[in-house]
Amino acid sequence: MTAVAGPDGGLRCPWALSTVEYTAYHDTEWGRPVHGDDALYERLCLEAFQSGLSWLTILRRREGFRKAFSSFEIAAVAEFDDSDAQRLLADEGIIRNRAKIEATLANAKVLAGWEPGELDSLIWSHAPEPGPAPATIADVPAVTAESKALSKALKKAGIRFVGPTTAYALMQACGLVNDHLAACVSREAVVLPKA
């Protein structure tokens, strides 16, 4: 599928037109560079929670996730204990998956020991040189050599629940790559830094 005209006549990536939440996310966030350890930790956690589910499920519960996980402040989540884990397992505002919750808490504990900016540097060190704009959805990969390397580096550092597909979704969401289709109105709005 190529870019499709939305209600305003602007061409967009086809997935962005199925719901208003997707359109807003596509037009204002997806593919735009994200920096800062807490902001990247949030995206890493949300991508992990999305694994096996629709991204729409995550978008609709995003505020619930932020409330449950102290706005994804690494230092705060690193202090969570077993009672917090039990509270999260009962929280209807999030995805109540034990493995994903445990990974979120364990990852915060690991990241709390890192230097400020270290997560940002590690993730962004895997940004590839910009390539040609994808013309169709079929031109957008699910995994790349860079996402495999990022997944491996994060796992080696002790970060859990981040396979190559999740790593690539993170790269797309955080602007390491620009996978807006060539004809998409948002493609030119995304300015990627040089790798």
Side-chain angles (χ1 to χ4, degrees):
M1 288 184 80
T2 59
V4 177
D8 62 0
L11 297 176
R12 287 181 176 78
C13 301
W15 63 266
L17 298 174
S18 60
T19 69
V20 294
E21 293 95 342
Y22 274 158
T23 304
Y25 176 69
H26 170 273
D27 289 358
T28 63
E29 278 190 77
W30 192 71
R32 284 158 174 80
V34 174
H35 285 282
D37 292 342
D38 289 341
L40 288 165
Y41 170 67
E42 175 183 359
R43 301 318 193 290
L44 183 65
C45 294
L46 294 178
E47 292 295 345
F49 273 102
Q50 185 273 332
S51 182
L53 302 171
S54 161
W55 183 244
L56 185 59
T57 301
I58 303 305
L59 284 178
R60 288 181 172 163
R61 295 181 185 202
R62 193 171 187 183
E63 291 310 312
F65 276 110
R66 286 176 171 162
K67 182 178 176 185
F69 288 101
S70 298
S71 298
F72 291 99
E73 292 177 13
I74 294 168
V77 180
E79 297 296 322
F80 283 21
D81 58 20
D82 289 341
S83 65
D84 291 298
Q86 292 306 311
R87 170 183 58 81
L88 293 165
L89 285 168
D91 190 333
E92 294 181 3
I94 66 170
I95 305 301
R96 296 174 291 173
N97 177 294
R98 182 179 301 277
K100 293 175 182 182
I101 290 170
E102 288 174 355
T104 300
L105 303 186
N107 291 345
K109 290 182 188 329
V110 169
L111 294 171
W114 290 21
E115 293 297 319
E118 193 172 348
L119 177 62
D120 191 298
S121 293
L122 182 129
I123 289 173
W124 278 91
S125 71
H126 290 83
E129 287 292 327
T136 70
I137 291 294
D139 298 329
V140 178
V143 174
T144 63
E146 292 86 3
S147 76
K148 290 177 185 176
L150 176 57
S151 171
K152 184 176 180 179
L154 288 167
K155 286 179 181 179
K156 184 177 180 183
I159 303 301
R160 295 167 36 187
F161 229 105
V162 60
T165 303
T166 298
Y168 193 68
L170 176 73
M171 293 170 77
Q172 290 174 305
C174 294
L176 279 73
V177 295
N178 183 355
D179 277 344
H180 286 283
L181 299 183
C184 177
V185 295
S186 291
R187 175 127 192 118
E188 295 304 318
V190 175
V191 179
L192 299 182
K194 299 250 188 248

